[in-house]
Coordinates of all heavy atoms in Angstrom, one line a residue:
C1 N 53.9 204.5 140.0 CA 54.7 205.6 139.6 C 54.6 205.7 138.1 O 54.6 204.8 137.4 CB 56.2 205.3 140.0 SG 56.4 205.4 141.7
P2 N 54.5 206.9 137.6 CA 54.3 207.1 136.2 C 55.4 206.6 135.3 O 55.3 206.0 134.3 CB 54.2 208.6 136.0 CG 53.9 209.2 137.4 CD 54.4 208.2 138.3
A3 N 56.6 206.7 135.8 CA 57.7 206.2 135.0 C 57.8 204.8 134.7 O 58.1 204.4 133.7 CB 59.1 206.8 135.5
L4 N 57.4 204.0 135.7 CA 57.3 202.5 135.5 C 56.0 201.9 135.6 O 55.8 200.7 135.3 CB 58.2 201.9 136.6 CG 59.7 202.2 136.7 CD1 60.4 201.6 137.9 CD2 60.3 201.8 135.4
G5 N 55.1 202.6 135.9 CA 53.7 202.2 135.9 C 53.2 201.5 137.1 O 52.2 200.8 137.1
W6 N 53.9 201.3 138.2 CA 53.6 200.5 139.4 C 54.5 200.9 140.5 O 55.5 201.5 140.4 CB 53.6 199.0 139.1 CG 55.0 198.5 138.8 CD1 55.6 198.5 137.5 CD2 56.1 198.0 139.7 NE1 56.9 198.1 137.5 CE2 57.2 197.7 139.0 CE3 56.1 197.9 141.1 CZ2 58.3 197.2 139.5 CZ3 57.1 197.4 141.6 CH2 58.3 197.0 140.7
A7 N 54.1 200.4 141.8 CA 54.9 200.7 142.9 C 54.8 199.5 143.8 O 53.8 198.7 143.6 CB 54.4 201.9 143.6
L8 N 55.6 199.3 144.7 CA 55.6 198.1 145.8 C 54.5 198.6 146.8 O 54.5 199.7 147.2 CB 56.9 198.0 146.4 CG 58.1 197.5 145.5 CD1 59.2 197.4 146.3 CD2 57.7 196.1 144.9
T9 N 53.5 197.7 147.0 CA 52.4 198.1 148.0 C 52.1 196.9 148.9 O 52.2 195.6 148.4 CB 51.3 198.5 147.3 OG1 50.7 197.5 146.6 CG2 51.4 199.8 146.6
L10 N 51.9 197.2 150.1 CA 51.3 196.1 151.1 C 50.2 197.0 151.9 O 50.3 197.1 153.1 CB 52.4 195.7 152.1 CG 53.5 194.8 151.4 CD1 54.6 194.5 152.6 CD2 52.8 193.5 151.0
G11 N 49.3 197.3 151.2 CA 48.2 198.1 151.9 C 48.4 199.7 151.8 O 47.6 200.4 152.0
F12 N 49.7 200.0 151.5 CA 50.1 201.4 151.5 C 51.4 201.3 150.7 O 52.1 200.4 150.5 CB 50.5 202.0 153.0 CG 51.4 201.1 153.8 CD1 52.6 201.5 153.8 CD2 50.9 200.1 154.6 CE1 53.5 200.7 154.6 CE2 51.8 199.3 155.3 CZ 53.1 199.6 155.2
L13 N 51.7 202.6 150.2 CA 52.9 202.8 149.4 C 54.1 202.6 150.2 O 54.3 203.4 151.3 CB 52.9 204.2 148.7 CG 54.0 204.4 147.7 CD1 54.0 203.6 146.6 CD2 54.0 205.9 147.3
L14 N 55.0 201.8 149.9 CA 56.3 201.6 150.5 C 57.4 202.4 149.9 O 58.2 203.0 150.5 CB 56.6 200.1 150.7 CG 55.8 199.2 151.5 CD1 56.3 197.7 151.5 CD2 55.8 199.6 153.0
L15 N 57.4 202.2 148.6 CA 58.5 202.7 147.7 C 58.0 202.9 146.3 O 57.4 202.0 145.8 CB 59.7 201.9 147.8 CG 60.9 202.3 146.9 CD1 61.6 203.5 147.3 CD2 62.0 201.2 146.8
G16 N 58.0 204.1 145.8 CA 57.9 204.4 144.4 C 59.3 204.3 143.7 O 60.2 205.0 144.0
L17 N 59.2 203.5 142.6 CA 60.5 203.4 141.8 C 60.3 204.3 140.6 O 59.4 204.2 139.8 CB 60.8 201.9 141.3 CG 61.0 201.0 142.4 CD1 61.1 199.6 141.9 CD2 62.1 201.4 143.2
T18 N 61.4 205.2 140.4 CA 61.3 205.9 139.2 C 62.7 205.6 138.5 O 63.7 205.3 139.2 CB 61.4 207.5 139.4 OG1 62.2 207.9 140.3 CG2 59.9 207.8 140.0
S19 N 62.7 205.9 137.2 CA 63.9 205.4 136.4 C 64.4 206.6 135.4 O 63.5 207.2 134.9 CB 63.6 204.1 135.6 OG 64.7 203.9 134.8
T20 N 65.6 206.7 135.2 CA 66.1 207.6 134.3 C 66.0 206.9 133.0 O 66.1 207.6 131.9 CB 67.5 208.1 134.5 OG1 68.3 207.0 134.6 CG2 67.6 208.9 135.8
H21 N 65.7 205.6 132.8 CA 65.7 204.8 131.6 C 64.2 204.7 131.5 O 63.7 203.6 131.8 CB 66.5 203.5 131.7 CG 67.8 203.7 132.1 ND1 68.8 204.0 131.2 CD2 68.5 203.7 133.3 CE1 70.0 204.2 131.7 NE2 69.8 203.9 133.0
A22 N 63.5 205.7 131.0 CA 62.1 205.8 130.8 C 61.4 204.4 130.3 O 60.5 204.0 130.8 CB 61.6 207.0 130.2
A23 N 61.7 203.9 129.4 CA 60.9 202.6 128.9 C 61.5 201.4 129.3 O 61.2 200.5 128.7 CB 60.8 202.8 127.3
S24 N 62.2 201.4 130.4 CA 62.7 200.1 130.9 C 62.0 199.5 132.1 O 62.0 200.1 133.2 CB 64.1 200.4 131.2 OG 64.9 199.2 131.7
P25 N 61.2 198.4 131.9 CA 60.5 197.9 133.1 C 61.3 197.2 134.0 O 62.5 196.7 133.7 CB 59.6 196.9 132.4 CG 60.3 196.5 131.2 CD 61.0 197.7 130.7
V26 N 61.0 197.2 135.3 CA 61.7 196.4 136.3 C 61.4 194.9 136.2 O 60.3 194.5 136.0 CB 61.3 196.9 137.7 CG1 61.8 196.1 138.7 CG2 61.6 198.3 137.8
T27 N 62.5 194.2 136.0 CA 62.4 192.8 135.6 C 62.8 191.9 136.9 O 62.6 190.7 136.9 CB 63.1 192.3 134.5 OG1 64.5 192.7 134.6 CG2 62.7 193.0 133.2
A28 N 63.5 192.5 137.9 CA 63.9 191.7 139.1 C 64.2 192.7 140.2 O 64.6 193.8 139.9 CB 65.2 190.9 138.8
L29 N 63.8 192.2 141.4 CA 64.2 193.1 142.6 C 64.7 192.1 143.7 O 64.3 191.0 143.8 CB 62.8 193.6 143.2 CG 62.1 194.8 142.4 CD1 60.8 195.0 143.1 CD2 62.9 196.0 142.5
T30 N 65.6 192.8 144.5 CA 66.1 192.1 145.8 C 66.6 193.1 146.7 O 67.1 194.2 146.4 CB 67.2 191.1 145.4 OG1 67.4 190.2 146.5 CG2 68.4 191.6 145.0
F31 N 66.5 192.7 148.0 CA 67.0 193.5 149.1 C 68.3 193.0 149.5 O 68.5 191.7 149.5 CB 66.1 193.6 150.2 CG 64.8 194.5 150.1 CD1 63.7 194.0 149.8 CD2 65.0 195.8 150.3 CE1 62.6 194.7 149.5 CE2 63.9 196.7 150.3 CZ 62.8 196.0 149.9
S32 N 69.2 193.9 149.9 CA 70.5 193.3 150.5 C 70.2 192.6 151.8 O 69.0 192.8 152.4 CB 71.5 194.6 150.9 OG 70.7 195.5 151.8
P33 N 71.0 191.8 152.3 CA 70.9 191.0 153.6 C 70.4 191.9 154.8 O 69.6 191.5 155.7 CB 72.1 190.3 153.7 CG 72.7 190.1 152.4 CD 72.3 191.4 151.9
D34 N 71.1 193.1 154.8 CA 70.6 193.9 156.0 C 69.4 194.9 155.6 O 69.0 195.7 156.4 CB 71.8 194.9 156.4 CG 72.3 195.8 155.2 OD1 71.6 195.8 154.1 OD2 73.3 196.6 155.4
S35 N 68.8 194.7 154.6 CA 67.6 195.4 154.2 C 67.7 196.8 153.8 O 66.8 197.6 153.8 CB 66.4 195.2 155.2 OG 66.1 193.6 155.2
Q36 N 68.9 197.2 153.7 CA 69.2 198.6 153.6 C 69.4 199.2 152.1 O 69.3 200.4 151.8 CB 70.5 199.1 154.5 CG 70.4 198.9 155.9 CD 69.3 199.8 156.4 OE1 69.3 200.9 156.2 NE2 68.3 199.2 157.1
V37 N 69.6 198.2 151.3 CA 69.7 198.6 149.9 C 68.8 197.7 149.0 O 68.5 196.5 149.2 CB 71.2 198.2 149.3 CG1 71.3 198.5 147.8 CG2 72.2 199.2 150.0
L38 N 68.0 198.3 148.0 CA 67.1 197.6 147.2 C 67.9 197.7 145.8 O 68.2 198.7 145.2 CB 65.8 198.3 147.0 CG 64.8 197.8 146.0 CD1 64.5 196.3 146.3 CD2 63.6 198.8 145.9
A39 N 68.1 196.4 145.1 CA 68.5 196.5 143.8 C 67.4 196.1 142.9 O 66.7 195.2 143.0 CB 69.6 195.3 143.7
S40 N 67.3 196.9 141.8 CA 66.3 196.6 140.7 C 67.1 196.4 139.4 O 68.1 197.1 139.1 CB 65.3 197.8 140.8 OG 65.8 199.0 140.4
A41 N 66.5 195.6 138.6 CA 67.0 195.3 137.3 C 66.1 195.6 136.2 O 64.8 195.5 136.3 CB 67.5 193.9 137.1
G42 N 66.5 196.1 135.2 CA 65.7 196.6 134.0 C 66.5 196.1 132.7 O 67.3 195.2 132.7
R43 N 66.2 196.8 131.6 CA 66.9 196.6 130.4 C 68.4 197.0 130.5 O 68.6 198.2 130.3 CB 66.1 197.2 129.2 CG 66.6 196.8 127.9 CD 65.7 197.3 126.8 NE 64.2 196.8 126.8 CZ 63.2 197.5 127.0 NH1 63.3 198.8 127.0 NH2 62.0 197.0 127.1
R44 N 69.2 196.1 130.5 CA 70.8 196.3 130.5 C 71.2 197.2 131.8 O 72.3 197.7 131.8 CB 71.1 197.0 129.3 CG 70.9 196.1 128.0 CD 71.6 196.8 126.8 NE 71.1 196.1 125.5 CZ 72.0 195.1 125.0 NH1 73.1 194.9 125.5 NH2 71.6 194.6 123.9
V45 N 70.4 197.4 132.8 CA 70.7 198.4 133.9 C 70.3 197.6 135.2 O 69.2 197.2 135.5 CB 70.1 199.7 133.7 CG1 70.3 200.6 134.9 CG2 70.5 200.3 132.5
V46 N 71.3 197.8 136.3 CA 70.9 197.5 137.7 C 71.1 198.7 138.4 O 72.1 199.5 138.2 CB 71.8 196.4 138.2 CG1 71.7 196.2 139.6 CG2 71.8 195.1 137.4
T47 N 70.1 199.0 139.3 CA 70.0 200.2 140.0 C 70.1 199.9 141.5 O 69.3 199.0 141.9 CB 68.9 201.1 139.5 OG1 68.9 201.5 138.2 CG2 68.9 202.5 140.4
L48 N 70.9 200.5 142.3 CA 71.0 200.2 143.7 C 70.4 201.5 144.4 O 70.9 202.6 144.2 CB 72.4 199.9 144.2 CG 73.1 198.8 143.4 CD1 74.5 198.7 143.8 CD2 72.3 197.5 143.8
R49 N 69.5 201.4 145.4 CA 68.9 202.5 146.1 C 69.0 202.2 147.6 O 68.7 201.0 148.0 CB 67.6 202.8 145.7 CG 67.3 203.3 144.3 CD 65.9 203.4 144.0 NE 65.7 204.0 142.8 CZ 65.6 203.3 141.6 NH1 65.8 202.1 141.6 NH2 65.4 204.0 140.5
H50 N 69.4 203.3 148.4 CA 69.3 203.0 150.0 C 67.6 203.1 150.2 O 67.0 203.9 149.8 CB 70.0 204.2 150.6 CG 71.4 204.1 150.7 ND1 71.9 203.2 151.4 CD2 72.3 204.8 150.1 CE1 73.3 203.2 151.3 NE2 73.5 204.3 150.6
V51 N 67.2 202.2 151.0 CA 65.8 202.2 151.5 C 65.5 203.4 152.4 O 66.4 203.8 153.2 CB 65.5 200.8 152.2 CG1 64.1 200.8 152.7 CG2 65.7 199.7 151.2
G52 N 64.5 204.1 152.1 CA 64.0 205.1 152.9 C 64.6 206.5 152.5 O 64.4 207.6 153.0
Q53 N 65.5 206.4 151.5 CA 66.1 207.6 150.8 C 65.6 207.7 149.5 O 65.3 206.6 148.7 CB 67.5 207.6 151.1 CG 68.1 207.6 152.4 CD 69.6 207.6 152.5 OE1 70.2 207.8 151.5 NE2 70.1 207.3 153.7
T54 N 65.5 208.9 148.9 CA 65.2 209.2 147.5 C 66.3 209.1 146.5 O 66.2 209.0 145.3 CB 64.4 210.4 147.4 OG1 65.0 211.5 147.8 CG2 63.0 210.4 148.1
N55 N 67.4 209.3 147.1 CA 68.7 209.3 146.2 C 69.0 207.9 145.7 O 68.9 207.0 146.4 CB 69.9 210.1 147.0 CG 70.3 209.3 148.1 OD1 69.6 208.7 148.9 ND2 71.6 209.2 148.3
Q56 N 69.5 208.0 144.5 CA 70.0 206.8 144.0 C 71.4 206.4 144.2 O 72.2 207.4 144.2 CB 70.0 206.9 142.4 CG 70.2 205.6 141.5 CD 69.9 205.9 140.1 OE1 68.7 206.2 139.8 NE2 70.9 205.8 139.3
V57 N 71.7 205.2 144.7 CA 73.2 205.0 145.1 C 74.1 204.9 143.9 O 74.9 205.5 143.7 CB 73.2 203.6 145.9 CG1 74.5 203.1 146.3 CG2 72.3 203.9 147.1
T58 N 73.7 204.0 143.0 CA 74.5 203.8 141.8 C 73.7 203.1 140.6 O 72.8 202.4 141.0 CB 75.8 203.0 142.0 OG1 76.6 203.1 141.0 CG2 75.5 201.5 142.3
T59 N 74.2 203.2 139.5 CA 73.6 202.5 138.3 C 74.7 201.8 137.7 O 75.7 202.3 137.3 CB 73.0 203.5 137.2 OG1 71.9 204.2 138.0 CG2 72.3 202.7 136.1
L60 N 74.4 200.5 137.4 CA 75.3 199.6 136.8 C 74.9 199.1 135.4 O 73.8 198.6 135.3 CB 75.5 198.3 137.7 CG 75.9 198.5 139.1 CD1 75.9 197.2 139.9 CD2 77.3 199.2 139.2
E61 N 75.6 199.4 134.4 CA 75.1 199.0 133.0 C 75.8 197.7 132.7 O 76.9 197.3 133.0 CB 75.5 200.1 132.0 CG 74.8 201.4 132.4 CD 74.6 202.2 131.2 OE1 74.6 201.8 130.0 OE2 74.2 203.4 131.5
T62 N 75.0 196.7 132.0 CA 75.5 195.5 131.7 C 75.4 195.3 130.2 O 74.8 196.3 129.4 CB 74.8 194.4 132.3 OG1 73.5 194.3 131.7 CG2 74.6 194.7 133.7
D63 N 76.0 194.2 129.5 CA 75.9 193.9 128.2 C 74.7 192.9 128.0 O 74.4 192.5 126.9 CB 77.2 193.3 127.6 CG 78.2 194.3 127.6 OD1 78.0 195.5 127.4 OD2 79.4 193.8 127.7
L64 N 74.1 192.5 129.1 CA 72.9 191.5 129.0 C 71.7 192.4 128.4 O 71.4 193.3 129.1 CB 72.7 190.9 130.3 CG 73.8 190.1 131.0 CD1 73.5 189.8 132.4 CD2 74.0 188.9 130.0
P65 N 71.1 191.8 127.5 CA 69.8 192.5 126.9 C 68.7 192.4 127.9 O 68.0 193.5 127.9 CB 69.6 191.8 125.6 CG 70.3 190.5 125.7 CD 71.5 190.6 126.6
K66 N 68.5 191.5 128.6 CA 67.3 191.4 129.5 C 67.8 190.9 130.8 O 68.4 189.6 130.8 CB 66.2 190.6 129.0 CG 65.0 190.6 129.9 CD 63.8 189.8 129.3 CE 62.7 189.7 130.1 NZ 61.6 189.0 129.7
L67 N 67.7 191.4 131.9 CA 68.1 191.0 133.2 C 66.9 190.3 133.8 O 65.9 190.8 133.9 CB 68.7 192.1 134.0 CG 69.9 192.9 133.5 CD1 70.2 194.1 134.3 CD2 71.0 192.0 133.3
T68 N 67.1 189.2 134.4 CA 66.0 188.3 134.9 C 66.1 188.0 136.4 O 65.1 187.6 137.1 CB 65.8 187.0 134.2 OG1 66.9 186.3 134.2 CG2 65.4 187.4 132.6
S69 N 67.4 188.0 136.9 CA 67.5 187.7 138.3 C 68.7 188.5 139.0 O 69.6 188.8 138.4 CB 68.0 186.2 138.4 OG 67.0 185.3 137.8
L70 N 68.4 188.7 140.3 CA 69.5 189.4 141.2 C 69.4 188.6 142.5 O 68.4 188.2 142.9 CB 69.0 190.9 141.5 CG 68.8 191.8 140.3 CD1 68.2 193.1 140.8 CD2 70.2 192.0 139.8
A71 N 70.7 188.6 143.0 CA 70.7 188.0 144.3 C 72.1 188.5 145.0 O 73.0 188.5 144.4 CB 70.9 186.4 144.3
F72 N 71.8 189.0 146.3 CA 72.9 189.4 147.0 C 73.5 188.1 147.9 O 72.8 187.2 148.1 CB 72.5 190.3 148.2 CG 72.4 191.8 147.8 CD1 71.2 192.3 147.4 CD2 73.5 192.5 147.7 CE1 71.1 193.6 147.0 CE2 73.4 193.8 147.3 CZ 72.2 194.4 146.9
H73 N 74.9 188.1 147.9 CA 75.6 187.2 148.7 C 75.2 187.4 150.2 O 74.8 188.6 150.6 CB 77.1 187.3 148.5 CG 78.0 186.4 149.3 ND1 78.2 186.4 150.6 CD2 78.5 185.2 148.9 CE1 78.9 185.4 151.0 NE2 79.2 184.7 149.9
P74 N 75.0 186.5 151.0 CA 74.7 186.6 152.4 C 75.5 187.7 153.1 O 74.9 188.3 154.0 CB 74.7 185.2 153.1 CG 74.7 184.3 151.9 CD 75.3 185.0 150.8
N75 N 76.6 187.9 152.8 CA 77.4 188.9 153.5 C 77.1 190.3 152.9 O 77.6 191.4 153.4 CB 78.8 188.8 153.7 CG 79.6 188.8 152.3 OD1 79.0 189.4 151.3 ND2 80.9 188.4 152.2
G76 N 76.4 190.4 151.8 CA 76.1 191.8 151.2 C 77.1 192.4 150.4 O 76.8 193.3 149.8
G77 N 78.2 191.6 150.3 CA 79.4 192.2 149.6 C 79.4 192.0 148.0 O 80.1 192.6 147.4
L78 N 78.5 191.0 147.5 CA 78.6 190.8 146.1 C 77.0 190.6 145.7 O 76.2 190.2 146.5 CB 79.1 189.4 145.8 CG 80.5 189.3 146.1 CD1 80.9 187.7 146.0 CD2 81.5 190.1 145.1
L79 N 76.8 191.2 144.5 CA 75.5 191.1 143.9 C 75.5 190.2 142.7 O 76.3 190.6 141.7 CB 75.0 192.5 143.5 CG 73.6 192.5 143.0 CD1 72.5 192.0 143.7 CD2 73.3 193.8 142.5
G80 N 74.8 189.2 142.6 CA 74.9 188.3 141.3 C 73.7 188.8 140.4 O 72.6 189.2 140.8
V81 N 74.0 188.9 139.1 CA 73.1 189.4 138.0 C 73.1 188.3 136.9 O 74.1 187.9 136.5 CB 73.6 190.7 137.4 CG1 72.7 191.2 136.5 CG2 73.7 191.7 138.6
A82 N 71.8 187.9 136.6 CA 71.6 187.0 135.5 C 70.7 187.4 134.5 O 69.7 188.2 134.8 CB 71.3 185.6 136.0
G83 N 70.9 187.0 133.1 CA 69.9 187.5 132.2 C 69.8 186.4 131.0 O 70.6 185.4 131.0

């Protein structure tokens, strides 16, 4: 994808990530336990997307300058963010 310069692939395009924060690289990815939501982290921003849909679910801004890790709780109700 032009905005981020890459996409997830396994022999074919699964999902192209675009960002409204154009110069922010993706630094962490994780799927929710039910595989329905993809969380991606960039510079001070976590974005949640429904898998298979192009609409963005939500964007969470943080005070952390660089996000390095994301993890969903096994029940999917919490998302841990570290940087």
Side-chain angles (χ1 to χ4, degrees):
C1 292
L4 295 178
W6 62 275
L8 298 174
T9 60
L10 290 175
F12 54 93
L13 180 66
L14 294 176
L15 173 69
L17 297 176
T18 58
S19 173
T20 55
H21 304 279
S24 181
V26 173
T27 57
L29 289 171
T30 192
F31 282 97
S32 61
D34 64 2
S35 300
Q36 295 301 304
V37 176
L38 175 66
S40 61
R43 190 172 298 124
R44 297 184 187 268
V45 176
V46 174
T47 303
L48 303 173
R49 292 178 177 81
H50 281 294
V51 174
Q53 298 179 12
T54 57
N55 63 321
Q56 186 171 300
V57 177
T58 193
T59 300
L60 309 168
E61 299 206 16
T62 74
D63 291 332
L64 299 170
K66 182 179 179 185
L67 303 174
T68 57
S69 300
L70 296 170
F72 276 99
H73 185 277
N75 72 11
L78 295 173
L79 176 64
V81 179

